[in-house]
Amino acid sequence: MQAINGQIQGCYIGGEWIIPNKERLIEVKNPGDGSTLAFVPRGDKEEIDLAVNAAKKAFHSQEWKKFSPYNRGKILYQAAEIIRENREELAKLETLDVGKPLTQSAVDVEIAARYFEYYAGVADKIFGETIPVEPGIIDYTVREPIGIVGHIIPWNYPLQIASRSISVSIATGNAAVLKPAEDTPLTTLKLVELIEPLGLPKGIVNVVTGYGHEAGAALSGHPDINHITFTGSVETGKRVMESAAQNIVPVTLELGGKSPNIVFADCNEEQALKWVLKSIVQNSGQTCSAGSRLVIEKSIKENFIRKLAAAMEELSIGLGIDNHDLGPVLSKKQFDRIQSFIDLARKDGIRILTGGDRRLVEGCGLGYYFEPTILDNVPVSHYLAQEEIFGPVLTVTTFQTEEEAIEIANGTPYGLVAGVWTENVGIAHRVASQLQCGQVFINHYGAGGGIAQPFGGYKKSGFGREKGLEALQNYTQVKNVALKY
Ligand code: NAD
């Protein structure tokens, strides 16, 4: 692969960089100003076939069968090291490709390295069990790799999610085919280039770039895939699940969210303000676990949102590479989607406390920047409080009792993450136990990348868990062996 600068990058299949057809390319743009960064192949069924076949060949090879768990772990440790050695280049590339501020990309790079480190340590600790059946029988289980794993990656955290996918696949002894999002494939390709010299058998990791309805659909419907991990929107998740059903293949679906920060009157206000703000403006709100709903006790609301609005108005907005607080949103398409929610708010007379408009940034005419926005008094049943906006837009809903807070928090089709802000341990645990979501943060939010903490949704936020030891369930299958003596 060559450096960016408008050049053509290849797909990575069976250990080779391939540009199948120079006439079929996708232009990758810098969301900051709309300039061209690179071109990648518009892979389709043919390239997915090649990649899946390469993965099959590698998975069944003697070379991979003889690769000890210890050696898989060693390679993963080396990958973490290489990522850190190239942290500046990776962070810059992620910022150019996704638009996010450079410091946020630097955090993504560190999290990427930590995924490799974490699963490096796990590779030789994937245990089975012995089961006491009856005298004269030794019964045990082995956790075997599941085989060829397809990973479909979204555009908002490409490096983190590609790292999470590749590291756990290698640790568990599988072969992987990745399909990055068409808008942001560059750090996935760079990552694979960096780990290429580490000595994995050719075909254990493959990357096919392309559109979702072409390469993505071909991957999720491929008859030789043994597991699909999909991270993306609910609508696409349904399609992926339908394809997997045709092949009786398990899927992990990491989908969207409409996560609440539930703020009680007795909270530590300074901390609550800091994290409520951070959790909605990070990556310009284009985060699955964004804290996109403020659910707040009525008695403290006015004062709290006034301070929040003031803090939002102080944030700088501009090119990610200049490290402003907020970068652009991904594209005009994303911008138009956010704008349509704001138009609805205006039409329905919802109070826009701050923001609500595009911000023009000098010299970045084709970049789409959106002001951090607060929509006040949004009833939980309103579309704005129900649907993922995927921009820096926070809705505010008040409660007067603990029961009401829980009802509002649980009152959407999603269930990914929630934050609870209170100094009362009893309230904190009672509320946490009743929230219908996969992860609850009490008095903090989304801390530290959470690579060791199982992550995934309830309800329409999906099922299956990534991260931590829990993810091993997706990537291994259990064999029971009974020996009579
Ligand atoms: P998306 O569903 O549009 O695309 C996700 C991926 O699926 C892309 O690689 C795309 O090319 C591919 N795809 C599209 N159509 C396909 C098809 N028919 N078959 C197979 N693949 C197809 O989502 P997006 O806009 O890239 O990402 C934003 C969404 O992802 C948000 O809803 C966000 O909440 C969610 N997300 C969830 C998590 C999580 O871990 N829960 C993390 C990041 C993003």
Side-chain angles (χ1 to χ4, degrees):
M1 189 176 84
Q2 306 91 13
I4 51 171
N5 292 329
Q7 295 188 27
I8 303 174
Q9 323 273 298
C11 293
Y12 187 66
I13 300 176
E16 308 287 334
W17 291 98
I18 294 170
I19 301 168
N21 180 347
K22 287 201 171 167
E23 302 300 310
R24 277 175 66 83
L25 297 171
I26 298 174
E27 182 186 4
V28 182
K29 289 184 177 178
N30 177 345
D33 58 10
S35 59
T36 303
L37 289 174
F39 293 88
V40 295
R42 180 175 164 180
D44 204 338
K45 191 177 171 317
E46 212 171 303
E47 289 71 39
I48 291 290
D49 270 342
L50 285 175
V52 172
N53 284 334
K56 260 173 76 179
K57 198 168 153 207
F59 179 72
H60 293 291
S61 68
Q62 285 306 314
E63 188 186 1
W64 190 234
K65 286 196 173 115
K66 287 182 187 157
F67 223 90
S68 68
Y70 167 75
N71 280 328
R72 298 201 302 262
K74 221 160 94 176
I75 285 192
L76 293 173
Y77 274 124
Q78 289 165 353
E81 239 167 75
I82 288 191
I83 290 170
R84 290 205 177 97
E85 281 163 14
N86 290 273
R87 57 163 70 91
E88 275 171 34
E89 189 183 351
L90 281 166
K92 190 172 161 209
L93 193 56
E94 192 76 328
T95 283
L96 290 173
D97 207 6
V98 186
K100 61 180 70 174
L102 205 50
T103 40
Q104 289 177 28
S105 294
V107 171
D108 288 358
V109 175
E110 176 56 21
I111 292 170
R114 289 186 62 198
Y115 272 122
F116 280 93
E117 234 165 33
Y118 182 86
Y119 288 111
V122 166
D124 58 0
K125 297 168 197 72
I126 302 172
F127 302 119
E129 293 175 327
T130 51
I131 300 169
V133 179
E134 59 183 75
I137 290 187
I138 295 177
D139 194 288
Y140 60 93
T141 59
V142 207
R143 287 207 160 267
E144 298 188 335
I146 199 155
I148 317 306
V149 184
H151 297 270
I152 299 178
I153 315 281
W155 51 260
N156 57 350
Y157 287 83
L159 178 64
Q160 271 201 40
I161 296 177
S163 299
R164 159 175 121 185
S165 293
I166 294 175
S167 58
V168 73
S169 292
I170 295 174
T172 46
N174 293 295
V177 179
L178 277 77
K179 206 299 281 173
E182 49 272 32
D183 298 292
T184 63
L186 300 182
T187 45
T188 304
L189 294 171
K190 184 72 199 172
L191 174 67
V192 169
E193 181 193 316
L194 289 174
I195 64 174
E196 190 180 14
L198 296 182
L200 283 171
K202 290 180 191 310
I204 284 299
V205 177
N206 307 274
V207 182
V208 177
T209 54
Y211 290 117
H213 65 284
E214 295 176 347
L219 181 59
S220 57
H222 200 289
D224 293 337
I225 289 285
N226 305 110
H227 180 91
I228 293 280
T229 297
F230 172 78
T231 308
S233 62
V234 173
E235 281 319 306
T236 313
K238 284 183 196 168
R239 266 180 240 132
V240 167
M241 203 170 156
E242 278 165 15
S243 307
Q246 296 308 314
N247 295 317
I248 317 284
V249 164
V251 285
T252 304
L253 295 181
E254 296 279 4
L255 308 177
K258 191 74 177 173
S259 300
N261 264 304
I262 309 164
V263 179
F264 286 88
D266 72 338
C267 71
N268 175 330
E269 189 193 65
E270 193 189 328
Q271 285 300 309
L273 273 166
K274 176 180 155 189
W275 287 98
V276 167
L277 178 69
K278 187 170 188 282
S279 70
I280 188 61
V281 298
Q282 180 168 318
N283 199 16
S284 290
Q286 303 168 117
T287 302
C288 55
S289 55
S292 53
R293 289 188 295 147
L294 172 61
V295 178
I296 186 163
E297 196 158 346
K298 197 169 179 183
S299 58
I300 60 162
K301 184 199 89 169
E302 281 305 328
N303 191 32
F304 191 96
I305 63 171
R306 196 175 34 76
K307 289 183 185 168
L308 191 62
M312 279 185 176
E313 283 158 16
E314 278 185 12
L315 297 175
S316 67
I317 302 179
L319 275 176
I321 210 78
D322 294 336
N323 212 14
H324 287 276
D325 297 316
L326 268 89
V329 297
L330 181 80
S331 59
K332 180 169 187 315
K333 186 173 153 211
Q334 286 304 316
F335 171 83
D336 288 344
R337 185 180 141 81
I338 298 167
Q339 190 62 59
S340 71
F341 282 95
I342 303 299
D343 293 345
L344 177 66
R346 291 203 166 101
K347 180 174 140 303
D348 286 357
I350 285 183
R351 178 186 175 212
I352 301 176
L353 188 64
T354 186
D357 287 305
R358 180 177 177 188
R359 176 75 61 86
L360 287 171
V361 172
E362 209 186 321
C364 303
L366 290 176
Y368 288 84
Y369 296 79
F370 207 90
E371 294 171 341
T373 301
I374 298 178
L375 304 178
D376 190 17
N377 279 335
V378 184
V380 65
S381 57
H382 195 285
Y383 188 66
L384 293 167
Q386 292 283 314
E387 246 330 298
E388 189 177 39
I389 298 176
F390 231 51
V393 181
L394 181 73
T395 63
V396 181
T397 309
T398 54
F399 66 86
Q400 283 179 289
T401 64
E402 196 179 307
E403 293 69 33
E404 205 186 348
I406 293 163
E407 200 180 314
I408 293 168
N410 287 338
T412 78
Y414 296 102
L416 197 56
V417 170
V420 182
W421 298 89
T422 174
E423 295 292 290
N424 181 319
V425 176
I427 294 180
H429 285 292
R430 268 200 309 276
V431 173
S433 72
Q434 292 181 74
L435 288 171
Q436 294 159 4
C437 64
Q439 189 163 37
V440 179
F441 291 104
I442 299 170
N443 295 333
H444 67 146
Y445 197 95
I451 40 140
Q453 298 156 298
F455 181 72
Y458 280 27
K459 304 192 284 185
K460 287 210 167 56
S461 290
F463 54 80
R465 294 292 177 267
E466 289 293 321
K467 306 186 178 182
L469 296 181
E470 203 69 36
L472 302 178
Q473 313 288 338
N474 303 332
Y475 297 99
T476 54
Q477 50 195 341
V478 174
K479 179 178 279 173
N480 182 253
V481 180
L483 180 148
K484 196 167 170 67
Y485 63 90

